[in-house]
């Protein structure tokens, strides 16, 4: 008998058919790789139960000059902060215009009258999209600065827990967001109700907005047909994302203050929170692809799960999609609503150091990477704040990875498998299940799960087989190169 090593490279491949994923991992949940070694992601634990009473869509964490650590959370109708002790304070500005918890548009599959358009196709694009409310949150030194996309006013909170956030004096209104530039100007995005205007305050002074010869306040209109979605700080520049293209603003000093250029077309941001910056550059989700800016150029990322992700997103709730970086793991994650869900239930992650992709199921509505707090923080739809990448608790979620099919030769013979030679860090941490078919689209037969022994006795046959490994107990397990004892049987 021949031992066939199942030497499978890191990452998942889920473009096209199942058979096209032969020799690759195709599906999984809550797993990552180091080299080709498969392992679970870190677990999570509750930090603050019922931190907010609505679904939080935005989060920002910072430390003030007194060493106090804060995290701010924005919902459709409230703004909250919590300190390192877990005490939550409501700092909702007086007169805040409430937004919407869920996106809505009167086009799509379920609207209009019977007989309109063709079955299985979206209705004509004739309605205006009402996105789910998000906030842009940042800190200007000790102060929190904030703007709800539905309210449009720029607010500041000075750290006084007995006082709500207040409108920044003289700042423009009807904005789409705010960000503090690397040079410490406060930018208002879509300022004054024009979705293409970027207006900034004087340097180090967020209350001076009228340009004069004695300050550096100013504004620019982006040459774009789209609307500004979000902005990100970069090294020596600020990236401005619209729903169609990408621009960068570079500080040049007086009298022009900032120069602006479009650096990419057809790279529009899918939602206001679907972008993350890390040391190597900025990553974001577009409408049909993922993109990366390395400080000079925008590149469309080769994505091994692109077909699956963009075929699965609930586009009517795309505004809820958000991104977070996990810097210690070298990953960027995007969370989104699957096609059958109106709330976030899935994620896709990209390991930018090793270049692989992974998918899974996890319901989190916003979050931040570790920084001033020891662990990454994420919010559940129920308003609970969790610390992530700590421990091995997954709240009952199944941690697994599943391969594409493998076969002998060109697949014209039956594969008869009798033994599995496991390759684990600690034997017994995972179980294995095999699924066989005679044809790529034929019915599938499951065998197992098998508890790991050395060797593990298994008996099954089929023209093609695929393997599923699953955590058998809460452990920081590792799976390397499994081997199966297999021979070619007769034709069938």
């Amino acid at each position: 008998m021949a031992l066939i090593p199942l030497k499978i490279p890191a990452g998942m491949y889920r473009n096209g058919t199942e058979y096209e994923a032969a020799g690759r991992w195709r599906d999984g949940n809550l797993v990552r790789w180091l080299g080709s070694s498969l392992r679970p992601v870190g677990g999570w634990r509750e930090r603050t139960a019922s931190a907010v009473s609505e679904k939080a869509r935005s989060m920002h964490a910072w430390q003030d000059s007194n060493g106090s650590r804060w995290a701010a959370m924005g919902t459709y109708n409230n703004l909250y902060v919590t300190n390192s002790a877990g005490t939550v304070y409501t700092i909702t500005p007086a007169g805040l215009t409430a937004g919407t918890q869920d996106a809505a548009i009167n086009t799509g599959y379920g609207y209009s009258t019977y007989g309109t358009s063709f079955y299985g196709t979206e209705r004509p694009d004739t309605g205006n999209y009402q996105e789910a409310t998000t906030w842009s949150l940042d800190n200007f030194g000790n102060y929190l600065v904030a703007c709800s996309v539905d309210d449009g006013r720029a607010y500041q909170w000075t750290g006084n827990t007995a006082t709500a956030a207040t409108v920044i004096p003289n700042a423009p209104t009807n904005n789409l967001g705010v960000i503090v530039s690397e040079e410490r100007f406060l930018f208002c995005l879509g300022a004054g109700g024009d979705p293409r205007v970027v207006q900034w305050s004087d340097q180090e002074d967020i209350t001076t907005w009228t340009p004069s010869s004695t300050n550096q306040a100013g504004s620019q209109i982006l040459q774009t047909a789209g609307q500004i979605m979000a902005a990100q700080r970069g090294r020596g520049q600020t990236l401005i994302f619209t729903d169609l293209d990408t621009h960068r603003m570079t500080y040049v000093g007086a009298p022009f203050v900032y120069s602006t250029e479009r650096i990419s077309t057809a790279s529009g941001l899918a939602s206001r929170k679907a972008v993350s910056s890390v040391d190597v550059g900025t990553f974001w989700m577009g409408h049909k692809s993922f993109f990366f800016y390395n400080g000079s150029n925008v590149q469309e990322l080769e994505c091994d799960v692109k077909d699956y992700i963009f075929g699965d997103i609930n586009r009517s709730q795309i505004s809820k999609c958000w991104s977070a970086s996990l810097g210690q793991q070298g990953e960027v994650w995007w969370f989104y609503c699957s096609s059958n869900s109106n709330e976030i239930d899935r994620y896709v992650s990209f390991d930018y150091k090793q270049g692989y992709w992974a998918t899974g199921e996890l319901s989190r509505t916003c979050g931040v990477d570790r920084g001033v707090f020891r662990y990454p923080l994420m919010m559940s739809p129920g308003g609970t704040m969790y610390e992530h990448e700590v421990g091995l608790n997954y709240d009952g979620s199944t941690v697994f990875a599943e391969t594409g099919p493998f076969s002998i030769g060109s697949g014209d013979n039956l594969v008869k498998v009798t033994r599995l030679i496991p390759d684990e860090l600690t034997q017994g941490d995972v179980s294995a299940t095999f699924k066989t078919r005679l044809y790529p689209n034929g019915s599938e037969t499951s065998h197992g799960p098998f508890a790991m022994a050395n060797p593990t006795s298994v008996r099954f046959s089929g023209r093609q087989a695929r393997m599923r490994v699953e955590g058998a107990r809460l452990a920081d397990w590792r799976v390397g190169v499994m081997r199966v004892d297999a021979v070619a049987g007769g034709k069938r």
Side-chain angles (χ1 to χ4, degrees):
M1 292 187 178
L3 285 177
I4 301 176
L6 302 180
K7 193 171 185 178
I8 306 168
M12 298 177 191
Y13 184 89
R14 206 159 180 179
N15 291 333
T17 67
E18 179 184 297
Y19 198 75
E20 288 180 275
R24 297 289 304 271
W25 297 102
R26 177 171 168 81
D27 195 8
N29 188 46
L30 300 172
V31 294
R32 61 165 56 103
W33 290 261
L34 182 59
S36 59
S37 174
L38 175 68
R39 59 194 62 197
V41 304
W44 53 82
R45 67 186 177 195
E46 183 180 290
R47 180 180 177 89
T48 306
S50 302
V52 299
S53 55
E54 311 91 22
K55 296 178 177 67
R57 299 287 178 202
S58 310
M59 180 182 281
H60 177 68
W62 79 103
Q63 184 172 343
D64 65 26
S65 57
N66 296 320
S68 298
R69 295 174 294 157
W70 299 95
M73 299 84 70
T75 71
Y76 82 101
N77 64 346
N78 278 303
L79 185 61
Y80 303 88
V81 292
T82 180
N83 58 21
S84 56
T87 305
V88 179
Y89 303 93
T90 302
I91 60 166
T92 306
L96 177 75
T97 301
T100 57
Q101 291 202 69
D102 300 300
I105 185 170
N106 287 331
T107 59
Y109 295 101
Y111 294 92
S112 196
T113 57
Y114 177 80
T116 301
S117 193
F118 298 100
Y119 177 77
T121 62
E122 288 188 270
R123 306 300 181 215
D125 182 16
T126 57
N128 290 324
Y129 183 64
Q130 174 61 57
E131 59 188 278
T133 301
T134 56
W135 290 71
S136 50
L137 304 170
D138 206 344
N139 64 287
F140 190 85
N142 290 339
Y143 292 5
L144 172 72
V145 290
C147 178
S148 161
V149 69
D150 285 295
D151 178 83
R153 287 171 287 183
Y155 295 100
Q156 63 180 341
W157 179 69
T158 62
N160 184 345
T161 57
T163 305
T166 57
V167 173
I168 297 174
N170 307 315
T173 57
N174 297 322
N175 307 299
L176 295 173
V178 295
I179 191 173
V180 178
S181 74
E182 198 172 56
E183 302 79 27
R184 290 180 57 76
F185 293 84
L186 178 60
F187 283 27
C188 281
L189 312 173
D194 188 326
R196 286 167 283 276
V197 168
V198 179
Q199 185 173 346
W200 58 88
S201 68
D202 191 15
Q203 191 173 31
E204 298 286 354
D205 182 1
I206 63 174
T207 64
T208 298
W209 292 85
T210 303
S212 76
S213 60
T214 60
N215 67 47
Q216 295 188 79
S219 65
Q220 288 193 8
I221 302 175
L222 300 184
Q223 183 53 47
T224 178
Q227 67 158 311
I228 295 174
M229 296 289 287
Q232 285 280 299
R233 279 187 298 275
R235 294 176 181 172
Q237 53 196 258
T238 302
L239 292 181
I240 309 294
F241 301 91
T242 78
D243 53 354
L244 299 179
D245 45 25
T246 310
H247 304 249
R248 67 181 169 204
M249 298 182 65
T250 306
Y251 179 69
V252 295
F256 302 108
V257 189
Y258 279 94
S259 68
T260 304
E261 61 179 321
R262 182 164 57 182
I263 57 174
S264 178
T265 60
S267 59
L269 186 62
S271 70
R272 300 187 188 278
K273 311 304 291 185
V275 55
S276 289
S277 290
V278 296
D279 286 344
V280 299
T282 300
F283 296 86
W284 68 97
M285 176 190 280
H287 298 283
K288 286 288 187 179
S289 301
F290 294 92
F291 297 92
F292 169 59
Y293 176 69
N294 61 9
S296 300
N297 302 300
V298 173
Q299 308 163 19
E300 183 177 344
L301 290 173
E302 290 290 332
C303 180
D304 291 338
V305 294
K306 175 180 174 180
D307 198 13
Y308 169 71
I309 296 301
F310 289 101
D312 180 52
I313 287 179
N314 181 348
R315 294 193 175 274
S316 69
Q317 300 297 326
I318 191 68
S319 57
K320 296 177 181 177
C321 177
W322 67 280
S323 174
S325 62
L326 297 181
Q328 285 195 325
Q329 287 73 32
E331 298 168 350
V332 177
W333 290 44
W334 288 270
F335 294 81
Y336 66 95
C337 304
S338 66
S339 57
N340 294 318
S341 175
N342 285 326
E343 191 50 75
I344 290 174
D345 59 344
R346 290 187 181 168
Y347 72 87
V348 54
S349 66
F350 178 61
D351 186 310
Y352 54 83
K353 292 182 178 179
Q354 299 185 86
Y356 71 77
W357 296 83
T359 62
E361 298 183 1
L362 184 60
S363 188
R364 296 290 184 265
T365 59
C366 65
V368 293
D369 193 9
R370 74 178 300 275
V372 298
F373 292 92
R374 184 177 300 176
Y375 302 104
L377 303 178
M378 297 188 192
M379 300 294 297
S380 75
T384 295
M385 179 185 291
Y386 287 94
E387 295 178 322
H388 278 254
E389 297 296 331
V390 54
L392 296 165
N393 170 60
Y394 305 99
D395 286 338
S397 296
T398 301
V399 182
F400 75 94
E402 206 166 89
T403 72
F406 62 90
S407 57
I408 291 179
S410 58
D412 54 346
N413 291 310
L414 291 175
V415 177
K416 294 185 177 180
V417 179
T418 59
R419 291 189 303 165
L420 169 68
I421 310 298
D423 182 21
E424 299 179 83
L425 180 65
T426 303
Q427 191 162 301
D429 281 350
V430 301
S431 62
T433 300
F434 290 88
K435 300 176 182 181
T436 58
R437 281 181 173 150
L438 291 176
Y439 303 99
N441 293 323
S443 60
E444 190 171 63
T445 303
S446 183
H447 312 271
F450 300 101
M452 294 295 101
N454 203 8
T456 305
S457 178
V458 298
R459 290 190 178 275
F460 58 87
S461 63
R463 276 203 178 92
Q464 63 184 55
R466 56 194 184 97
M467 177 181 69
R468 174 187 172 110
V469 294
E470 186 175 313
R473 55 193 178 207
L474 291 180
D476 190 17
W477 46 264
R478 305 285 187 273
V479 170
V481 181
M482 300 282 203
R483 291 173 293 167
V484 291
D485 203 346
V487 295
K491 299 181 185 294
R492 180 175 172 179

